[in-house]
């Protein structure tokens, strides 16, 4: 049966193939970074046809998300934060990220811990920020310096997650999430559309 | 005389040796994080015998604490940030911490790396925040919720340091410090005396 597989050079169970592609993707992204990693290179690492990689995962972005078990896809983030009035962008960003990540059992804990000590993980977190906060939707933020403006937002989000989940500063760890989302929303909106 | 030194490979003044060990410890902790740093590696970096490191500092934890004596005492921080008009408190905090810590060679690098993975270091960082930002001078911040207000400031500072020094997000790592201090000053002032 496996000899009849129409595309891949690796015969057999699709789950095995999928797992090989994910392994190949992780090591390729770690070695070359997101930008320089290619579907062709990942396919070669996994010993499968590049068409099979695309068949399973669609795009390099989606493969990146799957390989790193990220909590949400760039498309989901973009829809959640960039769809809507620019006047509420800061509030949507604060609510989306903090509701998803500033909570018990958050994947942000291991992501931040790993990023602090392993360059591979730091590269992954940088890429995730690049694909979401800095993704195509950022065009709605006024130029110039839209990436710098968004980097201030990213920094503040990182700090709240670090202070609440890693350091467990009592006033942050114990705060009602709404009491954090409110002041951050105002700050983010000023960073994105106000005077910096 | 130096050839008679009983333990270390580095001859001479104990103060010089001690200082070399502390330098080696800081760079090793910064590069590898607390867990993966070894006494052997630190000793090699300092060009001394590992036994000499233990002789001077006892344990890796004690060496870590000694190595991260920050370049200012809590009293100095309090004088720098709390002395002055309440209307400029946010600006003084942003300028003092970022000028001291958001720079090349900052002790914040190893401190954040270690805090992310080691509870002793996290406790040390929490304590440092408690002694400085949350110290006696905080009484100048309007009640109620002055500690919660200051925890938002602390979170933002942590995030800028994490994003600039650890993740090295290009827009943060490459920014002129004044361009970060300015927007943060406004944010901090609002958190401390405005509506949150």
């Amino acid at each position: 049966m496996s000899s009849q597989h129409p595309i891949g050079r690796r015969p057999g169970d699709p789950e095995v193939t999928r797992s090989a592609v994910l392994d190949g993707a992780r090591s390729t992204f770690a070695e070359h970074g997101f930008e320089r990693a290619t579907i062709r290179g990942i396919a070669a690492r996994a010993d499968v046809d590049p068409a099979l990689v695309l068949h399973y995962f669609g795009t390099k972005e989606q493969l990146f998300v799957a390989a790193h078990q990220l909590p949400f896809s760039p498309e989901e983030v973009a829809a959640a934060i960039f769809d809507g009035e620019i006047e509420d962008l800061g509030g949507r960003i604060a609510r989306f990220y903090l509701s998803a990540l500033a909570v018990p059992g958050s994947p942000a804990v291991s992501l931040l811990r790993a990023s602090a000590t392993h360059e591979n993980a730091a590269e992954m977190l940088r890429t995730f920020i690049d694909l979401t906060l800095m993704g195509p939707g950022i065009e709605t933020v006024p130029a110039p310096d839209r990436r710098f403006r968004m980097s201030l937002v990213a920094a503040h989000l990182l700090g709240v997650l670090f202070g609440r989940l890693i350091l467990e500063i009592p006033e942050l760890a114990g705060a009602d999430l709404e009491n954090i989302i409110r002041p951050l929303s105002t700050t983010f909106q000023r960073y994105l559309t106000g005077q910096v």
Side-chain angles (χ1 to χ4, degrees), chain A:
Chain A
M1 184 182 89
S2 62
S3 64
Q4 297 167 359
H5 197 287
I7 308 176
R9 294 195 298 276
R10 173 188 292 268
D13 186 348
E15 273 311 302
V16 173
T17 304
R18 203 173 180 282
S19 169
V21 171
L22 291 173
D23 285 346
R26 269 187 293 272
S27 57
T28 305
F29 286 133
E31 191 170 321
H32 300 294
F34 180 80
E35 290 298 343
R36 290 184 299 133
T38 63
I39 293 290
R40 184 173 300 275
I42 291 165
R45 188 84 59 114
D47 194 22
V48 302
D49 192 283
L52 194 61
V53 175
L54 295 175
H55 170 73
Y56 275 125
F57 295 100
T59 65
K60 187 166 79 165
E61 283 79 3
Q62 289 170 312
L63 177 55
F64 182 87
V65 168
H68 296 103
Q69 299 182 305
L70 293 174
F72 28 64
S73 74
E75 289 75 15
E76 287 173 309
V77 178
I81 66 180
F82 287 115
D83 283 2
E85 297 300 314
I86 183 76
E87 289 76 17
D88 301 321
L89 178 58
R92 288 195 301 274
I93 290 176
R95 181 166 302 281
F96 179 81
Y97 280 94
L98 295 177
S99 299
L101 297 177
V103 293
S106 170
V109 173
S110 53
L111 210 54
L112 286 171
R113 282 197 211 286
S115 296
T117 50
H118 293 77
E119 174 51 28
N120 289 352
E123 163 66 18
M124 187 178 90
L125 189 45
R126 272 197 305 275
T127 300
F128 184 67
I129 291 170
D130 234 46
L131 292 174
T132 56
L133 286 173
M134 306 277 196
I138 199 176
E139 299 301 319
T140 62
V141 177
D145 295 336
R146 51 169 70 104
R147 286 182 64 94
F148 173 67
R149 289 169 178 273
M150 194 61 93
S151 77
L152 294 174
V153 171
H156 203 344
L157 281 171
L158 286 168
V160 168
L161 295 173
F162 197 87
R164 183 171 164 106
L165 302 173
I166 307 287
L167 284 192
E168 300 185 80
I169 295 171
E171 290 77 12
L172 289 172
D176 187 300
L177 208 50
E178 290 298 324
N179 290 337
I180 299 180
I181 290 173
R182 192 182 332 109
L184 262 65
S185 296
T186 308
T187 300
F188 290 178
Q189 193 63 39
R190 188 169 57 76
Y191 286 168
L192 294 170
T193 61
Q195 189 172 355
V196 294

